Amino acid sequence: MPTTAFLSADPGWMAFLSPEIASRAQFGWTITVHIIFAALSVGLAPFIIYFTWKGVSTDDERFSKLRSFWTNVFAVGFVMGTVTGIPMSFQFGTNFPRFSAVAGELIGGPLAFEAKMAFFLEAIFLGVLLFGRERVSDRTYVLSSVLVGVGAWLSGFWILVVNAWMQTPRGYEMVTRNGMEIATLTDPVAAFFTPRLPWMYVHMINASVISVALLVGGVSAYLVWKKPSSKAWTTALKIAVLILLVSAPLQAIHGDAYGRHVADTQPQKFAAMEAHYETGRADLHLVAVPTRPSALTDPRAENLFTVSLPGMGSFLASGGDPNAEVLGLNEYEENPPVALVFWSFRIMVGLGFLFIGLALWGGSLIYRGTLAENSRFLKAMMVASPLGYAALLTGWYVTEIGRQPWVIQGVLRTNDAISRSLTSFQATATLIGFVLIYVGLIAVALLVLRWMVLDELRELSVIETSRDTDRDPVPQVGDDD
Amino acid sequence: MTDLLPVDGYLVEQLPDVWFGVVMFALAMYIVLDGFDFGIGMLYATREDEADRETLLAAFGPIWDANEVWLIAFGTMLLAAFPRAYSRLLADNYLLVLGFVLALLFRGVAPELREQREDEEWQWTCDVSFVVGSTLAPLLFGVLAGRWVFDAATLSIPALLTGVGLVTVSIATGAAFLAAKTDPALAAEMRDYGIVATLAYLGGLVALLVTVVMTDAGRVAETVLSAPAATIAGLSIAAGVGGIVLARRGRYRQWLASALALPGLLSVLVALLLYPNIYPPTGLTVREAVVSPLALNLVTVLGLPVLLLVVWYFKFLYTVFSGPVTGDSYSG
């Protein structure tokens, strides 16, 4: 796209981004940050349920400690998820009002169900989990942790019902109402349970589990490395590795089948994932390295050093025929930003295989009983702790950017979904605002995690308690009614 | 499911109106429940003492995010039932909506982050963010509501008075909530703030209604002068004055009940002034703006029972966290 399309001249000395580009960037950025925290809730839920249940049923101090630490992380993540989710839910109206008006009947229901069935459940029972240990019975307490988890997973379900519909829309009819062509719901079962939903749900939930297992594993590895005798953190590390041993290979197997489904339903996205321009036999590029800078922004096979499996793209897309014809990007009038999709896809897949390797390594150490002693492995886990998120986000970019120029595949173009009253100035100014504030939020979230880890090191007596953290106890008034 | 749910007509003839009511109910729940949280946030600025501050945060703490989910419920149900109104309302008020959600963001993260570190500078930053967010959020949301109902400019008297109205009513309910939950000394101070805020709210409400009648903003003068609106205004004054009397007698729980009626009545007034439209600039009535029968029947059958369940959760939650709060009850 020529640069002039990105910029629309505003009077005077300053040029602002066009409302479309600024809105897309703003939504992409807010959802990026929101997903980090949403996935934290989804992925931490099983850990929290397990720690809470074991803590209550065995009275083992290890589990109470782990529950308290990770519930606190969950709470910070949940707050961040709430505050970043609210602007996002309103951006459908502020930045993409024509999308809301056209698709409101189809997307409004699931979004409302998310709020009512899932979000309330999570928020309310998290309150009990955080502040109600002394106020409710053991049974209610464990049940609260389960309900928080159910809320998080159900929340993901309803959101993906919406997103899957946008990828493979079904169960609607375009009808003119009040002078506007809108999608009218005709078949709720078809609209809610689109062909894409099961693929997306399994892939996204599992990606969240992998990301959080790596995060828990990384933090645990650090603490074990600092204090090898810590039983609690060795336990946490072991659980994280065991979860990875199941989830990482599952993601690769599932991802392969998911790719075939994308080739069937969104051939343009599939072609962008492989930078496949000419219709014909498609190779699969296992490794791609740009040989000149321009290949970074415009990846084409001839400008890349690749290790490829000839015909494997055709084989995967067709389900067995290495010579099958795969549609190329040249067939389309307008394509998504191919570079972003192509490189995101490579990063995601590459990291996925790395996680499998890491899981197998950890598994063999567990088998040999030397998990807590292998400092190379501990360091590798520490390095890997943010990489699950890198894979999750790049995967999300493949899905979302790969669908462009459509916001609803084949139905509504993103450019037609944008507000007509939105000015370049408004869109650009709020984009800058969101970038600054959310960068601050992420920095603060990381800082808080660091403080929690430092507090933990103090508790493990690895570092000394500094005097200024002591304070007078707060006077306590009454207990209950 | 298509066989089970009618496609060509609403389950009951009045279903679009019922959904107008449901959306307004969510709005009422939001401004009542998050309202006292905003009030606590603003009253926080009056506390110098660390123990007092922790007590206020403890009262605010356990359930604020659940209270805030009502905003998301309101937004998504408006989208689900009236997508045209949702999209126009938000697109027309772009900067106001984003300002409001960012104020909520600061209000929300500040107390959670404050407790993570014992460091004066850090806590001061969180405190400022908490107070500013708690003040700006109801102000901007009120201005938005004023623009919505009265079709008024952002910097117009009706919009600004609605904003100030939401701020003062939030302080009144926040003060009543704290009075009912804290020790006698703090409660007595809160009572004084609450009485001033209630008087300011009632004064603002009367000024707003008089302005609207005189200028016919949003062409609702006639509705304001009708019997139902006059009844709501009268009930608001009764609840406000009654609350002040109860507060002065130290009957804080009863005061809380009458204070919470104020934002509730305000929502009813909003609904009354809007109906039969939902967002007047679209020129569409509730029946014209609502989604097609199948979609509305579906959200009714799947969504309404859940909404009742949610109300039950809230009852459970407020029972678990009933009783006085103390500074140290706010910790994981």
Side-chain angles (χ1 to χ4, degrees), chain A residues 26 86 89 95 97 100 105 108 112 116 119 121 124 127 131 135 177-178 184 186 430 444 451 471 477 480-481, chain B residues 2 54 62 68 72 76 80 83 86-87 94 113 117-118 288 290-292 294-295 307 310 313 320-323 326:
Chain A
Q26 185 178 315
I86 290 174
S89 75
N95 293 64
S100 312
E105 270 199 46
K116 285 186 285 186
F119 207 179
L121 200 67
I124 286 173
F131 308 108
R135 291 171 184 258
R177 269 189 82 192
N178 304 319
T184 304
T186 54
T430 50
V444 165
W451 292 338
R471 57 174 166 136
V477 192
D480 213 337
D481 266 0
Chain B
T2 20
E54 300 219 351
E68 206 157 90
I72 302 174
T76 51
Y86 169 90
S87 56
Y94 186 78
L113 296 177
R117 191 173 174 84
E118 303 290 332
E288 287 162 345
V290 80
V291 291
S292 68
L294 176 62
L307 204 59
V310 169
Y313 293 157
V320 168
F321 292 104
S322 72
T326 59

Side-chain angles (χ1 to χ4, degrees), chain A residues 11-26:
Chain A
W13 47 274
M14 212 171 170
F16 297 103
L17 294 171
S18 77
E20 188 202 343
I21 296 296
S23 293
R24 278 168 60 173
Q26 185 178 315

Side-chain angles (χ1 to χ4, degrees), chain A residues 9-283:
Chain A
D10 268 62
W13 47 274
M14 212 171 170
F16 297 103
L17 294 171
S18 77
E20 188 202 343
I21 296 296
S23 293
R24 278 168 60 173
Q26 185 178 315
F27 194 77
W29 168 243
T30 46
I31 201 167
T32 293
V33 178
H34 178 69
I35 281 184
I36 293 175
F37 299 115
L40 186 67
S41 296
V42 170
L44 260 186
F47 285 94
I48 304 259
I49 295 170
Y50 181 72
F51 294 151
T52 308
W53 170 63
K54 289 294 271 186
V56 166
S57 64
T58 63
D59 258 337
D60 186 332
E61 223 170 89
R62 275 186 302 166
F63 293 108
S64 317
K65 175 199 280 262
L66 292 173
R67 175 197 65 79
S68 153
F69 184 93
W70 288 108
T71 310
N72 203 10
V73 174
F74 189 100
V76 173
F78 184 74
V79 166
M80 298 282 188
T82 308
V83 298
T84 54
I86 290 174
M88 220 181 65
S89 75
F90 284 107
Q91 279 168 3
F92 291 130
T94 50
N95 293 64
F96 301 94
R98 294 171 67 85
F99 166 63
S100 312
V102 169
E105 270 199 46
L106 277 297
I107 65 167
L111 288 175
F113 297 149
E114 193 240 350
K116 285 186 285 186
M117 294 179 193
F119 207 179
F120 272 124
L121 200 67
E122 206 179 341
I124 286 173
F125 290 96
L126 182 62
V128 178
L129 200 61
L130 285 173
F131 308 108
R133 183 69 188 96
E134 308 301 324
R135 291 171 184 258
V136 299
S137 67
D138 283 358
R139 187 187 292 247
T140 309
Y141 195 65
V142 175
L143 183 67
S144 296
S145 74
V146 174
L147 290 175
V148 168
V150 170
W153 284 44
L154 198 57
S155 189
F157 173 80
W158 284 116
I159 292 299
L160 291 177
V161 163
V162 172
N163 197 282
W165 182 80
M166 290 158 70
Q167 308 283 346
T168 49
R170 297 279 193 285
Y172 70 98
E173 204 173 274
M174 296 307 284
V175 174
T176 305
R177 269 189 82 192
N178 304 319
M180 189 173 185
E181 216 192 351
I182 60 158
T184 304
L185 182 69
T186 54
D187 184 347
V189 176
F192 285 4
F193 301 97
T194 49
R196 180 59 54 83
L197 181 66
W199 294 108
M200 274 194 136
Y201 191 67
V202 173
H203 212 63
M204 192 65 188
I205 293 281
N206 199 40
S208 306
V209 169
I210 292 172
S211 303
V212 173
L214 285 163
L215 179 72
V216 173
V219 169
S220 308
Y222 177 71
L223 291 163
V224 169
W225 183 59
K226 285 281 186 185
K227 177 104 178 182
S229 62
S230 164
K231 285 209 177 98
W233 293 102
T234 312
T235 305
L237 178 61
K238 194 169 152 185
I239 293 171
V241 170
L242 290 175
I243 288 183
L244 269 184
L245 264 174
V246 178
S247 55
L250 173 69
Q251 193 76 336
I253 297 163
H254 182 266
D256 164 57
Y258 184 2
R260 205 148 37 238
H261 170 76
V262 170
D264 287 345
T265 51
Q266 291 176 306
Q268 189 179 11
K269 184 191 280 181
F270 186 81
M273 281 153 61
E274 291 298 335
H276 178 67
Y277 278 86
E278 298 291 335
T279 298
R281 198 177 82 148
D283 303 335

Side-chain angles (χ1 to χ4, degrees), chain B residues 16 24 44 68 72 90 114 136 158 210 253 257 263 267 315 329 332:
Chain B
M24 289 298 149
Y44 188 82
E68 206 157 90
I72 302 174
L90 296 182
R114 184 188 199 274
L136 276 182
V210 169
R253 280 184 173 257
S267 316
K315 194 171 160 289
S329 52

